Amino acid sequence: MPEPVPYLDLKAQLQPLRAELEAAFARTLDHCSFCLGPDVAQFEKDFAAFIGTQHCVGVNSGTSALHIALLLLNVGPGDEVITTPFTFVATSWAISYVGARPVYVDIDDNTFNLDPHLLEQAITPRTKALLPVHLYGHPCDLDPILAVARKHNLPLVEDTAQAHAAKYKGRTVGTFGQISCFSFYPGKNLGACGEGGALLTNDAALAQRARALREHGSTVRYYHDEVGYNYRMEGIQGAALGVKLKHLARWTEGRQSVARRYHELLADTPLQLPVESARVESAYHLYVVRHPKRDDLMKYLQAHQVGCALHYPLPLHLQKCYASLGYQPGDFPVAERAARECLSLPIYPELTQAQIERVSEVIHDYFRG
Ligand SMILES: *Cc1c(COP(=O)(O)O)cnc(C)c1O
């Protein structure tokens, strides 16, 4: 029997870092700054430098970062935020948390990202921000999005939860919007040993207010200038992220090289493979192929112990929690078809050549019938 290929293998990533992580955790146990503290402060500095922004505010999840972003832009009840229906639901949660309405725009059939051509017609007098997602690690087409943002004087928030170190025209994503929001959920390209997230910006005033919002709305302890949240990043997570950040550039190259190998091996199959537009460098958080018989192929892969997953099986406008928005099936046909046809194959830097070849072999077997 060939070895199973797991969809995700965090152990393979963490094992070689074990000694380094334990040493970092031991330092946290010595100083006992468990909520924020020096480990988080150091990571914030290093991550801001890595991405290329002035400020990084560490929080307890990507969802919290998105929530704070919309609070910083004073988005509230009666307002609209334009985003994509084809993303992890947390993108939309932030809009709901501030009492605003998510306004969805259909996606591009090739990149699965918000289609910039459809953006302008979705703008109304109530629109307060644009919130595109660099889905699967592939940067959005930022030039036309930024052009619309400038023309209508709308702030851009980048959901960079899946796109650590991805580049658009040579520049790292997360530096284009007023604010960008990262997730360090363990399975993300840079993952904590638990939950984590960060909000990045070049605006010192926004960063300062974000620091207050994540800590009960206070800058002076027990004095609360506005209603805040307990969204602090934990010291242990800052320590883990500090260790792992040093490997992120290498890991990103590793993901890109797995993607290149899949491209070569799967080019002669009926699958539609991910496209990487000439202007971008994808961070390949996911390697997503598509085929009309997706469900059948998925069963076959699973039966042959090749891990795979769906990102995402139901677009947000059709989720039960958003029934009150009044969207109908057929409103975003490109996203709906993508939801039926997309299949995520295993991709991580530790994936071996033999594992990649095994995935390809099982896919070829499936199509040979
Ligand atoms: C993971 C993710 C989030 C949320 O991040 P958490 O850290 O899990 O809260 C938001 N948006 C996208 C696109 C994501 O993939």
Side-chain angles (χ1 to χ4, degrees):
M1 266 300 273
E3 289 286 305
V5 184
Y7 176 69
L8 186 68
D9 190 356
L10 285 181
K11 285 182 192 166
Q13 183 198 68
L14 286 226
Q15 214 51 52
L17 303 181
R18 179 82 181 222
E20 235 185 310
L21 284 169
E22 283 180 353
F25 293 155
R27 286 192 293 275
T28 312
L29 292 175
D30 285 340
H31 64 58
C32 288
S33 287
F34 293 117
C35 305
L36 300 176
D39 300 314
V40 173
Q42 186 62 50
F43 171 70
E44 288 176 335
K45 239 177 112 208
D46 295 343
F47 193 63
F50 181 90
I51 297 296
T53 61
Q54 300 277 318
H55 309 281
C56 167
V57 180
V59 292
N60 62 347
S61 75
T63 308
S64 303
L66 287 160
H67 183 192
I68 291 184
L70 296 188
L71 291 167
L72 292 177
L73 298 173
N74 302 310
V75 181
D79 296 336
E80 296 175 352
V81 176
I82 299 179
T83 190
T84 164
F86 197 58
T87 176
F88 181 59
V89 69
T91 311
S92 234
W93 284 159
I95 303 168
S96 303
Y97 290 174
V98 299
R101 178 187 169 91
V103 171
Y104 300 119
V105 162
D106 210 350
I107 57 170
D108 177 278
D109 211 16
N110 294 308
T111 63
F112 305 106
N113 283 323
L114 186 150
D115 185 344
H117 300 103
L118 303 175
L119 188 52
E120 198 157 18
Q121 66 202 50
I123 293 174
T124 76
R126 292 178 297 280
T127 308
K128 278 291 160 60
L130 307 180
L131 177 50
V133 180
H134 305 298
L135 198 72
Y136 307 152
H138 187 291
C140 292
D141 195 3
L142 283 159
D143 278 348
I145 295 174
L146 284 163
V148 171
R150 268 188 226 109
K151 182 172 161 196
H152 295 269
N153 199 22
L154 289 169
L156 176 71
V157 178
E158 293 174 75
D159 183 336
T160 34
Q162 303 189 356
H164 316 67
K167 289 184 177 149
Y168 180 79
K169 290 182 157 181
R171 185 167 138 198
T172 308
V173 302
T175 62
F176 289 86
Q178 267 75 6
I179 302 170
S180 61
C181 299
F182 286 85
S183 165
F184 306 121
Y185 183 75
K188 298 289 160 84
N189 289 22
L190 177 63
C193 295
E195 306 274 358
L199 181 149
L200 273 64
T201 181
N202 285 321
D203 185 321
L206 290 184
Q208 191 184 4
R209 189 170 164 217
R211 287 180 196 287
L213 282 168
R214 74 172 167 186
E215 198 164 25
H216 301 290
S218 68
T219 39
V220 179
R221 204 167 198 187
Y222 305 129
Y223 291 84
H224 309 279
D225 296 341
E226 64 176 318
V227 172
Y229 299 83
N230 180 357
Y231 282 172
R232 288 177 294 232
M233 179 183 276
E234 294 187 343
I236 288 279
Q237 303 312 335
L241 289 164
V243 167
K244 293 178 75 178
L245 178 59
K246 293 189 227 117
H247 303 276
L248 181 56
R250 178 172 60 80
W251 285 338
T252 305
E253 283 167 25
R255 287 174 179 276
Q256 291 163 341
S257 116
V258 172
R260 277 194 300 274
R261 190 74 186 118
Y262 273 139
H263 283 316
E264 290 166 6
L265 290 171
L266 300 175
D268 61 349
T269 67
L271 292 178
Q272 184 184 314
L273 304 182
V275 292
E276 199 171 337
S277 95
R279 296 189 287 182
V280 311
E281 259 177 65
S282 174
Y284 282 104
H285 173 55
L286 303 178
Y287 189 88
V288 178
V289 298
R290 64 190 290 178
H291 193 269
K293 287 196 183 159
R294 188 270 316 275
D295 290 338
D296 202 37
L297 172 61
M298 180 159 108
K299 276 194 209 109
Y300 189 87
L301 288 171
Q302 285 167 342
H304 292 80
Q305 300 188 42
V306 169
C308 50
L310 300 183
H311 302 94
Y312 295 87
L314 187 64
L316 300 189
H317 67 289
L318 302 179
Q319 297 284 349
K320 196 169 167 185
C321 63
Y322 282 129
S324 65
L325 295 177
Y327 287 111
Q328 300 296 329
D331 283 346
F332 303 110
V334 185
E336 289 167 33
R337 195 162 64 86
R340 286 192 298 270
E341 296 186 350
C342 280
L343 183 65
S344 308
L345 302 180
I347 186 164
Y348 35 93
E350 300 78 18
L351 206 62
T352 65
Q353 288 303 317
Q355 287 176 312
I356 301 169
E357 282 160 24
R358 175 65 188 152
V359 175
S360 159
E361 179 185 73
V362 175
I363 290 173
H364 278 93
D365 286 347
Y366 170 79
F367 285 111
R368 266 195 297 269

